[in-house]
Amino acid sequence: MKTTQGLLQLSTLALWASSIWVVQATGFRLPDQDAFATARGEAFAATADNPSAIYYNPAGISQLEGHHVRGGAYGIYLHPTYESGGTSYDNEREWHGIPQLFYTYGPKDYPLSFGLGLYSPYGLSLRWPQDTGFRTVATEASLSYFTINPVVAWRLCPQLSLAAGVTVNRAEVDMRQGLVWPTQPFDGFRFKGDGWDVGYNVGLLWKPFEKISLGVALRSTTTVNLKGSTESFNDVAIPGVVPASPLEKVHAETEMPFPLNVVCGLSFRPTPAWNLEFNADYTDWGRLGTVTVHQERRPVLLPAQDVPLSFNWEGSWYYEFGVTRYLNEHWSLSAGYIFNENSVPDANYWPVVADLDRHFFSAGTGFKGEHLTFDVAYQFGYGPTRTVSGSAKSATGQSADGDYEYLSHALLLSFGWRF
């Protein structure tokens, strides 16, 4: 009995490490916030000529006169896979949908423009089958992160604009992991919490030459105080060891840091019919250091009331290239490519993210009328096999070692109206 309780304590500590790590995974950042931008491989910071500039580079809204509303949805099919010992496993949460809505107002002959964005810069979820070889390392996690973003842009001169905004952010987290018995698919441990925080974003758009424009955008760090509870459960009683679910529920909270993001872009327009752009997009996941989980009281399954957790994340880059061909004053075609670096070394690897280098290819078309605009884009994502070895083991001896691959298909639709 004492041995079993000791294993429960160690396994629960491992759960906390994986759970909090899940929220910060590169795989849960959502850079796709507009169909036109996604068709161009997200290379949009130096173009930023529709209301979604509120997200990509808020200085770009200074190019929009009058009232503009633009909304859309990002639908994605996620299919990471894991293979170990000749057996392959698939993610069980494959379909996701994320909406966006943007509004801008640029008074005529006035240097200031105003905007409001509603979008989700982080999100999605993963759930692995209960019979994987790492269920006591991690089983599933979900994150909802919603941002309300008012911005103001100032056009200093025809060639230069600056912008700043406030981000009001709400995060909701639900994370689970198996406990001790690798062959027992009914036990687990859960943390569920939510909270708010406020940050900011700034942008610059500069056109030093007629055919060249430069864009820089920064999104600040946020630290959300997640308040909720931890819960251990076992759906089937084990005589002499544990009763049936639930075992215990304890109020808990933790401060969850979200990263700084900076993007720099260069757009080259050799003729009015062509727009080529390259962006370098950096996310500072390295700020995730030690996170401490505070609980109202010490649970039976944990050796301490406060549990400090240390991580060794690394910052990662998106390298984005896009091209648009304007066929006439109404129609355009776009294509793009992204290379996304992984950010988690093998020693800290957790399967609920399946982090690895990824390649994204996209294409789309758009229409711009006097009042109505719309764009549609398709994006294909591929991550070549990453072999993980030497990852941390849970109390049962399970680890995340194995081969991981990534595959995704996404469709984006965006509609706008000018009035």
Side-chain angles (χ1 to χ4, degrees), residues 3 53 58 97 145 167 210 230 272 302 304 322 325 331 351 376 398:
T3 301
Y145 189 104
T167 63
E210 180 182 358
T230 60
L302 281 177
R325 173 70 165 92
W331 290 94
V376 58
Q398 292 187 321

Side-chain angles (χ1 to χ4, degrees), residues 291-302:
V291 175
T292 301
V293 179
H294 305 281
Q295 299 178 98
E296 189 176 66
R297 57 185 172 80
R298 186 186 71 80
V300 173
L301 299 183
L302 281 177

Side-chain angles (χ1 to χ4, degrees), residues 17 37 41 45 65 67 106 113 117 150 166 172 193 229 279 301 332 351 364 369 395 416:
E65 185 177 293
H67 298 269
S113 298
V166 175
E172 297 181 7
S229 61
N279 285 187
L301 299 183
S332 64

